[in-house]
Coordinates of all heavy atoms in Angstrom, one line a residue:
A41 N -120.7 109.7 20.2 CA -121.8 109.4 19.3 C -121.5 110.0 17.8 O -121.9 109.4 16.9 CB -123.1 110.0 19.8
P47 N -119.1 108.7 6.6 CA -117.9 108.6 5.8 C -116.9 107.5 6.4 O -116.3 106.7 5.7 CB -117.2 110.0 6.1 CG -118.3 110.9 6.3 CD -119.4 110.0 7.0
K63 N -126.8 96.8 -0.6 CA -128.2 97.0 -0.8 C -128.9 96.9 0.5 O -128.7 96.0 1.3 CB -128.8 96.1 -1.8 CG -128.6 96.5 -3.2 CD -129.8 95.9 -4.1 CE -129.5 96.2 -5.6 NZ -129.3 94.9 -6.3
N75 N -146.1 90.7 17.8 CA -145.5 90.6 19.1 C -145.3 89.2 19.6 O -144.5 88.9 20.4 CB -146.3 91.4 20.1 CG -145.4 92.6 20.6 OD1 -144.3 92.4 21.0 ND2 -146.1 93.8 20.7
K76 N -146.1 88.3 19.1 CA -146.1 86.9 19.6 C -145.4 85.9 18.7 O -145.2 84.7 19.2 CB -147.6 86.4 19.9 CG -148.3 87.4 20.9 CD -148.8 86.6 22.1 CE -149.1 87.5 23.3 NZ -150.1 88.5 23.1
N81 N -136.1 80.1 20.7 CA -135.5 78.9 20.2 C -134.0 78.9 20.7 O -133.1 79.6 20.2 CB -135.5 79.0 18.6 CG -135.4 77.6 18.0 OD1 -135.2 76.6 18.8 ND2 -135.6 77.5 16.7
T86 N -131.2 79.1 28.9 CA -130.9 80.5 28.9 C -129.8 80.8 29.9 O -129.9 80.4 31.1 CB -132.1 81.3 29.3 OG1 -133.1 81.2 28.2 CG2 -131.8 82.8 29.4
P105 N -108.1 95.9 20.1 CA -109.1 95.0 20.8 C -109.9 95.7 21.7 O -109.5 96.7 22.3 CB -108.1 94.0 21.5 CG -106.8 94.2 21.1 CD -106.7 95.6 20.4
N187 N -139.0 95.1 19.8 CA -140.4 95.7 19.8 C -140.5 96.8 20.7 O -141.5 96.9 21.5 CB -141.4 94.6 20.0 CG -141.4 93.5 18.9 OD1 -140.9 93.7 17.8 ND2 -141.9 92.3 19.2
D194 N -134.6 85.8 27.4 CA -134.7 84.6 26.6 C -134.4 84.9 25.1 O -134.1 84.0 24.3 CB -136.1 84.0 26.7 CG -136.3 83.3 27.9 OD1 -135.4 82.8 28.5 OD2 -137.5 83.2 28.4
Q217 N -118.4 87.5 22.7 CA -117.1 87.7 22.1 C -117.2 87.7 20.6 O -118.0 86.8 20.0 CB -116.1 86.6 22.5 CG -114.7 86.7 22.0 CD -113.8 85.6 22.4 OE1 -114.2 84.7 23.2 NE2 -112.6 85.5 21.8
I218 N -116.5 88.6 19.9 CA -116.5 88.6 18.5 C -115.0 88.6 18.1 O -114.3 89.5 18.5 CB -117.1 89.9 17.9 CG1 -118.6 90.1 18.4 CG2 -117.1 90.0 16.4 CD1 -119.2 91.4 18.0

Side-chain angles (χ1 to χ4, degrees):
K63 278 209 187 115
N75 245 315
K76 300 236 157 65
N81 205 351
T86 292
N187 298 338
D194 284 338
Q217 186 181 351
I218 302 172

